Amino acid sequence: MPRKTTISLIKCDVGSLAGHYTVPKPLLNIAEKNLKTAKDQNLINSYYVFNAGDDLQLLMVHEKGESNPQIHELAWKTFHEAANKALQLKLYGAGQDLLKNAFSGNIRGLGPGVAEMEIEERGSDPIVIFAADKTSAGAFNFPLFRIFADPMSTAGLVIDPNMTEGFKFEVTDTIENKKAVIKTPEEMYELIALIGTVQRYMVSRVWRARDNMICAASSISKLSQIAGKYVGKDDPVMIVRAQHGLPAVGEILVPFMHSYLVEGWMRGSHWGPVMPVGLKDSKCTAFDGPPRLVALGFQIVNGGIACDDNGRPMIADLFDDPAFDMARHEALELATLLRRMGEFEPARLGPEEMEYTTIQQVLEKLRTRFTSA
Ligand code: 13P
Ligand code: 13P
Ligand code: MG
Ligand code: MG
Protein backbone atom coordinates (compact mmCIF):
# COMPACT_ATOMS: atom_id res chain seq x y z
CA MET A 1 0.00 0.00 0.00
CA PRO A 2 1.42 3.44 -0.88
CA ARG A 3 1.86 5.70 2.12
CA LYS A 4 -0.93 8.23 2.70
CA THR A 5 0.34 11.67 3.55
CA THR A 6 -1.63 14.81 4.32
CA ILE A 7 -0.61 18.35 3.49
CA SER A 8 -2.46 20.94 5.59
CA LEU A 9 -2.03 24.64 4.87
CA ILE A 10 -3.99 26.67 7.40
CA LYS A 11 -3.85 30.47 7.63
CA CYS A 12 -5.16 33.27 9.73
CA ASP A 13 -4.76 37.02 10.08
CA VAL A 14 -3.97 37.18 13.81
CA GLY A 15 -2.88 40.82 13.83
CA SER A 16 -0.18 42.70 12.02
CA LEU A 17 2.56 45.27 12.12
CA ALA A 18 1.88 48.77 10.84
CA GLY A 19 -1.70 48.31 9.71
CA HIS A 20 -2.25 45.33 7.41
CA TYR A 21 1.39 45.12 6.26
CA THR A 22 3.05 41.99 7.63
CA VAL A 23 3.20 39.34 10.38
CA PRO A 24 6.01 40.41 12.75
CA LYS A 25 8.61 38.06 14.19
CA PRO A 26 7.12 37.57 17.70
CA LEU A 27 3.97 36.07 16.14
CA LEU A 28 5.93 33.87 13.72
CA ASN A 29 7.98 32.69 16.72
CA ILE A 30 4.85 31.48 18.51
CA ALA A 31 3.84 29.43 15.48
CA GLU A 32 7.38 28.07 15.14
CA LYS A 33 7.45 27.05 18.83
CA ASN A 34 4.05 25.29 18.72
CA LEU A 35 4.69 23.43 15.48
CA LYS A 36 8.13 22.33 16.71
CA THR A 37 6.51 20.89 19.84
CA ALA A 38 3.89 19.13 17.68
CA LYS A 39 6.69 17.66 15.58
CA ASP A 40 8.66 16.57 18.66
CA GLN A 41 5.47 14.83 19.86
CA ASN A 42 5.06 13.13 16.46
CA LEU A 43 1.71 14.75 15.77
CA ILE A 44 3.14 16.19 12.55
CA ASN A 45 6.19 15.09 10.56
CA SER A 46 7.21 18.43 9.03
CA TYR A 47 6.20 22.06 9.14
CA TYR A 48 7.06 25.43 7.69
CA VAL A 49 5.90 28.76 9.11
CA PHE A 50 5.76 31.81 6.84
CA ASN A 51 3.63 34.84 6.10
CA ALA A 52 1.67 36.06 3.11
CA GLY A 53 1.50 39.77 3.89
CA ASP A 54 -0.39 40.04 7.18
CA ASP A 55 -1.58 36.40 7.15
CA LEU A 56 0.18 33.82 9.31
CA GLN A 57 0.63 30.57 7.37
CA LEU A 58 1.05 27.13 8.93
CA LEU A 59 2.19 24.45 6.51
CA MET A 60 1.99 21.05 8.20
CA VAL A 61 2.69 17.63 6.71
CA HIS A 62 1.44 14.60 8.63
CA GLU A 63 -0.31 11.24 8.38
CA LYS A 64 -3.56 12.05 10.19
CA GLY A 65 -5.77 12.73 7.16
CA GLU A 66 -7.83 15.79 6.26
CA SER A 67 -10.00 17.62 8.83
CA ASN A 68 -8.17 15.89 11.68
CA PRO A 69 -9.31 17.41 15.02
CA GLN A 70 -5.81 17.32 16.56
CA ILE A 71 -4.24 19.11 13.58
CA HIS A 72 -7.02 21.68 13.45
CA GLU A 73 -6.80 22.23 17.20
CA LEU A 74 -3.06 22.80 16.90
CA ALA A 75 -3.71 25.53 14.32
CA TRP A 76 -6.61 26.99 16.32
CA LYS A 77 -4.60 27.20 19.57
CA THR A 78 -1.58 28.62 17.75
CA PHE A 79 -3.68 31.35 16.13
CA HIS A 80 -5.23 32.23 19.49
CA GLU A 81 -1.85 32.39 21.22
CA ALA A 82 -0.47 34.59 18.43
CA ALA A 83 -3.58 36.79 18.52
CA ASN A 84 -3.13 37.28 22.27
CA LYS A 85 0.46 38.33 21.70
CA ALA A 86 -0.76 40.73 19.00
CA LEU A 87 -3.25 42.13 21.49
CA GLN A 88 -0.54 42.68 24.12
CA LEU A 89 1.60 44.50 21.54
CA LYS A 90 -1.48 46.43 20.32
CA LEU A 91 -0.75 45.25 16.80
CA TYR A 92 -3.34 46.06 14.18
CA GLY A 93 -6.43 43.87 13.87
CA ALA A 94 -5.42 41.44 16.64
CA GLY A 95 -7.43 38.24 16.16
CA GLN A 96 -8.95 39.65 12.94
CA ASP A 97 -9.85 36.30 11.32
CA LEU A 98 -10.81 34.46 14.52
CA LEU A 99 -14.46 35.14 13.87
CA LYS A 100 -16.23 32.38 15.78
CA ASN A 101 -15.35 30.87 19.09
CA ALA A 102 -17.08 27.51 18.80
CA PHE A 103 -14.15 25.21 18.03
CA SER A 104 -15.32 21.61 18.11
CA GLY A 105 -12.72 19.70 16.13
CA ASN A 106 -12.69 21.53 12.77
CA ILE A 107 -11.38 25.01 12.09
CA ARG A 108 -13.36 25.38 8.84
CA GLY A 109 -16.14 27.94 9.02
CA LEU A 110 -14.62 29.75 12.00
CA GLY A 111 -12.56 32.30 10.04
CA PRO A 112 -9.11 30.80 9.26
CA GLY A 113 -8.57 29.52 5.69
CA VAL A 114 -7.83 25.84 5.05
CA ALA A 115 -6.43 23.95 2.06
CA GLU A 116 -5.84 20.26 2.71
CA MET A 117 -4.95 17.33 0.52
CA GLU A 118 -4.37 13.68 1.40
CA ILE A 119 -2.18 11.97 -1.19
CA GLU A 120 -0.85 8.52 -1.84
CA GLU A 121 2.88 9.22 -2.12
CA ARG A 122 4.24 8.62 -5.60
CA GLY A 123 7.86 7.80 -6.47
CA SER A 124 8.46 11.54 -6.21
CA ASP A 125 5.84 14.13 -5.26
CA PRO A 126 6.64 17.76 -6.01
CA ILE A 127 4.14 20.17 -4.39
CA VAL A 128 3.55 23.88 -4.96
CA ILE A 129 1.61 25.88 -2.40
CA PHE A 130 0.23 29.35 -3.01
CA ALA A 131 -0.73 31.98 -0.43
CA ALA A 132 -2.28 35.34 -1.29
CA ASP A 133 -2.83 38.54 0.64
CA LYS A 134 -5.43 41.30 0.03
CA THR A 135 -7.71 39.26 -2.14
CA SER A 136 -10.68 36.89 -2.08
CA ALA A 137 -11.31 33.20 -2.39
CA GLY A 138 -12.08 33.34 -6.14
CA ALA A 139 -8.60 34.67 -6.97
CA PHE A 140 -7.34 31.20 -7.89
CA ASN A 141 -10.12 30.38 -10.40
CA PHE A 142 -8.29 31.91 -13.34
CA PRO A 143 -4.85 30.33 -12.74
CA LEU A 144 -6.44 26.94 -11.90
CA PHE A 145 -8.21 27.04 -15.24
CA ARG A 146 -4.97 27.91 -17.01
CA ILE A 147 -3.02 25.16 -15.19
CA PHE A 148 -5.46 22.25 -15.57
CA ALA A 149 -7.62 23.10 -18.58
CA ASP A 150 -5.83 25.49 -20.94
CA PRO A 151 -3.76 23.61 -23.55
CA MET A 152 -2.19 26.90 -24.64
CA SER A 153 -0.67 27.20 -21.17
CA THR A 154 -0.06 23.62 -20.01
CA ALA A 155 1.73 21.75 -22.79
CA GLY A 156 1.20 18.44 -20.99
CA LEU A 157 -2.52 18.58 -21.79
CA VAL A 158 -1.50 18.10 -25.41
CA ILE A 159 1.78 16.18 -25.10
CA ASP A 160 1.49 13.88 -22.07
CA PRO A 161 -0.84 10.86 -22.63
CA ASN A 162 -1.48 10.71 -18.86
CA MET A 163 -3.16 14.11 -19.04
CA THR A 164 -5.03 14.04 -22.33
CA GLU A 165 -8.18 12.68 -20.69
CA GLY A 166 -8.39 15.99 -18.85
CA PHE A 167 -9.28 17.04 -15.32
CA LYS A 168 -12.33 17.30 -13.08
CA PHE A 169 -13.03 20.55 -11.24
CA GLU A 170 -15.12 20.73 -8.09
CA VAL A 171 -16.89 24.09 -8.25
CA THR A 172 -18.52 25.45 -5.10
CA ASP A 173 -21.38 27.92 -5.32
CA THR A 174 -20.63 29.96 -2.21
CA ILE A 175 -24.04 31.64 -2.21
CA GLU A 176 -26.23 28.51 -2.46
CA ASN A 177 -23.65 26.41 -0.58
CA LYS A 178 -23.73 23.67 -3.24
CA LYS A 179 -21.04 22.05 -5.34
CA ALA A 180 -20.78 20.38 -8.75
CA VAL A 181 -18.01 18.51 -10.58
CA ILE A 182 -17.26 19.79 -14.10
CA LYS A 183 -15.04 17.80 -16.49
CA THR A 184 -12.65 19.35 -19.00
CA PRO A 185 -11.99 19.42 -21.91
CA GLU A 186 -15.61 18.35 -22.69
CA GLU A 187 -17.25 20.92 -20.40
CA MET A 188 -14.64 23.66 -20.66
CA TYR A 189 -17.14 26.31 -21.71
CA GLU A 190 -19.53 25.41 -18.89
CA LEU A 191 -16.62 25.57 -16.44
CA ILE A 192 -15.66 29.05 -17.63
CA ALA A 193 -19.32 30.12 -17.51
CA LEU A 194 -19.34 29.34 -13.80
CA ILE A 195 -15.86 30.16 -12.52
CA GLY A 196 -15.60 33.37 -14.54
CA THR A 197 -17.96 34.67 -11.83
CA VAL A 198 -15.13 34.79 -9.30
CA GLN A 199 -17.19 36.34 -6.53
CA ARG A 200 -19.64 33.42 -6.37
CA TYR A 201 -18.18 30.23 -7.84
CA MET A 202 -14.86 28.89 -6.55
CA VAL A 203 -12.77 25.95 -7.68
CA SER A 204 -12.32 23.99 -4.47
CA ARG A 205 -10.64 20.79 -5.78
CA VAL A 206 -9.20 19.33 -8.97
CA TRP A 207 -8.69 15.65 -9.85
CA ARG A 208 -7.05 13.96 -12.84
CA ALA A 209 -9.85 12.43 -14.90
CA ARG A 210 -7.98 9.21 -15.82
CA ASP A 211 -7.82 7.88 -12.26
CA ASN A 212 -9.39 10.53 -10.00
CA MET A 213 -6.00 11.41 -8.54
CA ILE A 214 -6.29 14.52 -6.38
CA CYS A 215 -4.10 17.31 -7.74
CA ALA A 216 -5.31 20.63 -6.29
CA ALA A 217 -7.17 21.92 -3.23
CA SER A 218 -7.90 25.51 -2.32
CA SER A 219 -9.49 27.42 0.56
CA ILE A 220 -12.86 28.86 -0.34
CA SER A 221 -14.18 30.35 2.89
CA LYS A 222 -15.63 33.83 2.49
CA LEU A 223 -15.06 35.84 5.65
CA SER A 224 -17.87 38.27 4.84
CA GLN A 225 -20.33 35.36 4.75
CA ILE A 226 -19.14 34.01 8.10
CA ALA A 227 -19.23 37.44 9.76
CA GLY A 228 -22.15 38.92 7.78
CA LYS A 229 -20.08 42.05 7.21
CA TYR A 230 -16.63 43.14 6.05
CA VAL A 231 -13.94 42.13 8.51
CA GLY A 232 -10.93 41.72 6.19
CA LYS A 233 -10.23 39.74 3.06
CA ASP A 234 -10.24 35.94 2.65
CA ASP A 235 -6.60 35.86 1.50
CA PRO A 236 -6.87 32.31 0.14
CA VAL A 237 -4.36 29.45 0.04
CA MET A 238 -4.00 26.53 -2.36
CA ILE A 239 -2.04 23.29 -2.75
CA VAL A 240 -1.11 21.96 -6.21
CA ARG A 241 0.59 18.67 -6.99
CA ALA A 242 3.05 18.51 -9.90
CA GLN A 243 4.85 16.40 -12.52
CA HIS A 244 4.75 12.82 -13.75
CA GLY A 245 1.34 12.89 -15.42
CA LEU A 246 0.30 16.18 -13.79
CA PRO A 247 1.20 19.73 -14.83
CA ALA A 248 4.94 20.34 -14.40
CA VAL A 249 6.04 22.91 -11.81
CA GLY A 250 6.88 25.21 -14.72
CA GLU A 251 3.37 24.77 -16.14
CA ILE A 252 1.87 25.57 -12.74
CA LEU A 253 3.91 28.79 -12.61
CA VAL A 254 3.65 30.03 -16.21
CA PRO A 255 0.18 31.65 -15.81
CA PHE A 256 1.82 34.01 -13.30
CA MET A 257 4.16 35.50 -15.92
CA HIS A 258 1.29 37.96 -16.33
CA SER A 259 -0.64 39.86 -13.72
CA TYR A 260 -4.45 39.63 -13.60
CA LEU A 261 -7.15 41.44 -11.67
CA VAL A 262 -8.66 40.19 -8.42
CA GLU A 263 -11.04 41.68 -5.88
CA GLY A 264 -9.58 42.88 -2.61
CA TRP A 265 -6.86 45.50 -2.12
CA MET A 266 -7.70 48.59 0.01
CA ARG A 267 -10.55 47.86 2.47
CA GLY A 268 -11.35 44.76 0.41
CA SER A 269 -13.37 47.04 -1.86
CA HIS A 270 -11.39 47.33 -5.09
CA TRP A 271 -10.18 45.41 -8.10
CA GLY A 272 -6.42 45.15 -7.99
CA PRO A 273 -3.63 43.42 -9.92
CA VAL A 274 -1.97 40.28 -8.52
CA MET A 275 1.76 40.72 -7.92
CA PRO A 276 3.67 37.42 -7.65
CA VAL A 277 6.55 37.94 -5.19
CA GLY A 278 9.26 36.12 -3.27
CA LEU A 279 8.90 35.81 0.51
CA LYS A 280 11.07 38.89 1.06
CA ASP A 281 8.42 41.02 -0.70
CA SER A 282 5.44 39.29 0.87
CA LYS A 283 4.07 42.47 2.44
CA CYS A 284 1.47 44.94 1.28
CA THR A 285 2.14 48.66 0.99
CA ALA A 286 0.65 50.89 -1.74
CA PHE A 287 -3.13 51.19 -1.19
CA ASP A 288 -2.57 48.13 1.05
CA GLY A 289 -1.23 46.18 -1.92
CA PRO A 290 -1.00 45.49 -4.72
CA PRO A 291 -2.43 42.06 -3.75
CA ARG A 292 0.58 39.78 -3.25
CA LEU A 293 1.00 36.12 -4.04
CA VAL A 294 3.78 33.77 -2.94
CA ALA A 295 4.45 30.26 -4.29
CA LEU A 296 6.58 27.74 -2.41
CA GLY A 297 7.78 24.40 -3.77
CA PHE A 298 8.89 21.31 -1.86
CA GLN A 299 9.13 17.53 -2.13
CA ILE A 300 7.15 15.03 -0.06
CA VAL A 301 9.10 12.12 1.43
CA ASN A 302 7.91 9.44 3.89
CA GLY A 303 5.03 11.49 5.29
CA GLY A 304 6.98 14.74 5.56
CA ILE A 305 8.89 17.43 3.63
CA ALA A 306 12.32 16.55 2.22
CA CYS A 307 14.91 18.22 4.54
CA ASP A 308 18.51 19.39 4.21
CA ASP A 309 21.43 17.92 6.17
CA ASN A 310 20.49 20.05 9.18
CA GLY A 311 16.95 18.72 9.26
CA ARG A 312 15.40 21.89 7.87
CA PRO A 313 12.65 21.51 5.23
CA MET A 314 13.93 22.45 1.77
CA ILE A 315 11.61 25.15 0.45
CA ALA A 316 11.86 26.76 -3.01
CA ASP A 317 10.72 30.38 -3.03
CA LEU A 318 9.40 30.09 -6.59
CA PHE A 319 8.37 33.68 -7.40
CA ASP A 320 11.74 35.00 -6.16
CA ASP A 321 12.89 34.94 -9.74
CA PRO A 322 13.44 37.44 -12.60
CA ALA A 323 11.04 35.37 -14.74
CA PHE A 324 8.22 37.12 -12.84
CA ASP A 325 9.63 40.66 -13.17
CA MET A 326 7.32 41.30 -16.10
CA ALA A 327 4.24 40.30 -14.08
CA ARG A 328 5.37 42.56 -11.25
CA HIS A 329 5.86 45.41 -13.71
CA GLU A 330 2.44 44.77 -15.26
CA ALA A 331 0.91 44.75 -11.78
CA LEU A 332 2.37 48.21 -11.12
CA GLU A 333 1.08 49.55 -14.43
CA LEU A 334 -2.39 48.15 -13.80
CA ALA A 335 -2.27 49.47 -10.23
CA THR A 336 -1.46 52.95 -11.50
CA LEU A 337 -4.26 52.87 -14.04
CA LEU A 338 -6.84 51.67 -11.51
CA ARG A 339 -5.78 54.11 -8.80
CA ARG A 340 -6.19 57.02 -11.20
CA MET A 341 -9.90 56.13 -11.22
CA GLY A 342 -10.18 56.49 -7.44
CA GLU A 343 -13.59 55.43 -6.12
CA PHE A 344 -15.25 55.08 -9.52
CA GLU A 345 -16.24 51.67 -10.88
CA PRO A 346 -14.78 49.46 -12.19
CA ALA A 347 -11.81 50.40 -9.97
CA ARG A 348 -14.11 50.03 -6.99
CA LEU A 349 -16.16 46.82 -6.61
CA GLY A 350 -19.79 46.71 -7.73
CA PRO A 351 -22.64 47.37 -5.31
CA GLU A 352 -23.33 43.71 -4.39
CA GLU A 353 -19.86 43.26 -2.94
CA MET A 354 -19.81 46.74 -1.39
CA GLU A 355 -22.79 45.60 0.68
CA TYR A 356 -20.30 43.82 2.89
CA THR A 357 -18.14 46.88 3.50
CA THR A 358 -18.41 49.89 5.77
CA ILE A 359 -19.89 51.98 2.94
CA GLN A 360 -23.28 50.76 4.21
CA GLN A 361 -23.07 53.23 7.09
CA VAL A 362 -22.52 56.11 4.69
CA LEU A 363 -25.47 55.05 2.54
CA GLU A 364 -27.67 54.64 5.62
CA LYS A 365 -26.86 58.21 6.70
CA LEU A 366 -28.04 59.50 3.31
CA ARG A 367 -31.14 57.29 3.06
CA THR A 368 -33.62 59.82 4.48
CA ARG A 369 -32.34 62.54 2.15
CA PHE A 370 -33.82 60.81 -0.88
CA THR A 371 -37.18 62.08 -2.16
CA SER A 372 -39.18 60.93 -5.20
CA ALA A 373 -37.42 61.78 -8.45
P1 13P B 1 7.46 14.71 -16.07
O1 13P B 1 6.58 14.06 -17.10
O2 13P B 1 8.42 13.76 -15.45
O3 13P B 1 6.65 15.46 -15.06
O4 13P B 1 8.39 15.78 -16.83
C1 13P B 1 7.84 16.82 -17.52
C2 13P B 1 8.90 17.80 -17.78
O5 13P B 1 10.00 17.49 -18.18
C3 13P B 1 8.54 19.20 -17.53
O6 13P B 1 9.45 20.13 -17.97
P1 13P C 1 -6.49 42.00 5.32
O1 13P C 1 -7.68 41.13 5.00
O2 13P C 1 -5.25 41.50 4.66
O3 13P C 1 -6.34 42.16 6.79
O4 13P C 1 -6.75 43.42 4.70
C1 13P C 1 -7.75 44.20 5.23
C2 13P C 1 -7.89 45.55 4.60
O5 13P C 1 -8.95 46.14 4.74
C3 13P C 1 -6.79 46.13 3.84
O6 13P C 1 -7.05 47.42 3.41
MG1 MG D 1 -5.20 42.33 8.33
MG1 MG E 1 -4.40 39.63 4.86
Side-chain angles (χ1 to χ4, degrees):
M1 277 286 284
R3 182 193 281 265
K4 285 203 171 178
T5 300
T6 309
I7 304 148
S8 298
L9 179 56
I10 309 186
K11 52 93 14 190
C12 185
D13 183 336
V14 289
S16 44
L17 172 70
H20 296 282
Y21 171 69
T22 194
V23 182
K25 197 84 177 120
L27 307 189
L28 296 169
N29 287 346
I30 288 171
E32 190 71 36
K33 164 183 74 72
N34 288 5
L35 298 200
K36 183 178 182 308
T37 306
K39 182 172 185 285
D40 291 344
Q41 293 170 346
N42 295 322
L43 176 60
I44 55 177
N45 297 332
S46 297
Y47 67 90
Y48 188 68
V49 172
F50 65 102
N51 72 295
D54 66 353
D55 289 83
L56 175 58
Q57 307 280 341
L58 311 179
L59 169 64
M60 297 171 283
V61 181
H62 55 92
E63 290 159 284
K64 301 253 179 296
E66 293 178 28
S67 293
N68 178 272
Q70 285 176 287
I71 300 293
H72 281 223
E73 188 181 23
L74 170 63
W76 181 248
K77 286 193 166 159
T78 300
F79 292 145
H80 270 277
E81 195 179 330
N84 284 337
K85 182 76 180 175
L87 206 56
Q88 281 166 28
L89 296 170
K90 290 183 77 172
L91 297 180
Y92 200 68
Q96 180 179 288
D97 290 357
L98 295 166
L99 299 178
K100 298 215 164 151
N101 233 333
F103 183 78
S104 59
N106 197 313
I107 205 166
R108 281 181 203 269
L110 304 181
V114 184
E116 287 191 305
M117 187 194 282
E118 187 180 51
I119 61 171
E120 285 187 2
E121 277 190 31
R122 300 178 292 166
S124 175
D125 243 303
I127 304 285
V128 181
I129 56 167
F130 291 87
D133 189 34
K134 305 297 180 274
T135 184
S136 341
F140 292 137
N141 283 5
F142 177 58
L144 279 170
F145 170 77
R146 297 290 306 277
I147 294 165
F148 290 105
D150 184 354
M152 301 297 278
S153 186
T154 291
L157 291 169
V158 180
I159 292 172
D160 184 341
N162 288 313
M163 270 194 262
T164 47
E165 269 183 58
F167 289 85
K168 292 180 184 168
F169 291 70
E170 179 185 75
V171 178
T172 301
D173 176 345
T174 55
I175 292 179
E176 296 279 329
N177 208 10
K178 289 181 173 163
K179 57 190 180 184
V181 176
I182 314 278
K183 159 90 173 54
T184 58
E186 296 88 336
E187 299 178 307
M188 181 193 285
Y189 300 161
E190 289 84 347
L191 177 69
I192 295 174
L194 292 178
I195 68 171
T197 304
V198 295
Q199 289 158 321
R200 174 167 182 168
Y201 298 98
M202 326 255 147
V203 178
S204 30
R205 279 177 182 266
V206 182
W207 300 270
R208 181 166 67 182
R210 183 167 73 81
D211 52 4
N212 289 324
M213 180 192 272
I214 181 76
C215 41
S218 59
S219 66
I220 54 161
S221 54
K222 295 217 9 148
L223 290 182
S224 59
Q225 281 178 354
I226 297 171
K229 60 175 192 253
Y230 179 71
V231 286
K233 267 296 162 197
D234 314 323
D235 300 338
V237 287
M238 136 167 117
I239 304 168
V240 183
R241 213 172 165 190
Q243 304 286 165
H244 198 66
L246 297 178
V249 170
E251 289 168 334
I252 292 167
L253 298 178
V254 75
F256 301 97
M257 281 183 80
H258 291 286
S259 181
Y260 61 101
L261 298 180
V262 293
E263 60 161 357
W265 211 355
M266 174 56 69
R267 298 170 193 274
S269 306
H270 301 85
W271 291 101
V274 163
M275 186 185 255
V277 290
L279 286 172
K280 71 174 183 344
D281 294 316
S282 179
K283 51 201 174 191
C284 287
T285 53
F287 207 56
D288 283 357
R292 309 282 164 125
L293 181 64
V294 295
L296 304 180
F298 52 92
Q299 293 286 147
I300 294 293
V301 61
N302 302 335
I305 301 174
C307 289
D308 66 14
D309 293 342
N310 297 314
R312 279 188 299 260
M314 294 189 288
I315 302 289
D317 188 357
L318 295 163
F319 287 147
D320 181 18
D321 187 277
F324 302 98
D325 281 352
M326 187 174 67
R328 292 188 272 266
H329 189 79
E330 275 181 12
L332 290 179
E333 294 212 328
L334 289 165
T336 315
L337 178 139
L338 286 163
R339 288 328 319 137
R340 271 204 297 265
M341 290 190 65
E343 289 310 287
F344 289 78
E345 291 179 28
R348 198 176 72 187
L349 299 185
E352 313 79 32
E353 287 293 314
M354 292 305 286
E355 243 182 77
Y356 292 100
T357 71
T358 42
I359 204 170
Q360 282 316 306
Q361 292 154 30
V362 179
L363 298 179
E364 186 56 27
K365 198 169 128 196
L366 295 174
R367 198 173 51 88
T368 55
R369 303 260 295 273
F370 280 94
T371 56
S372 302

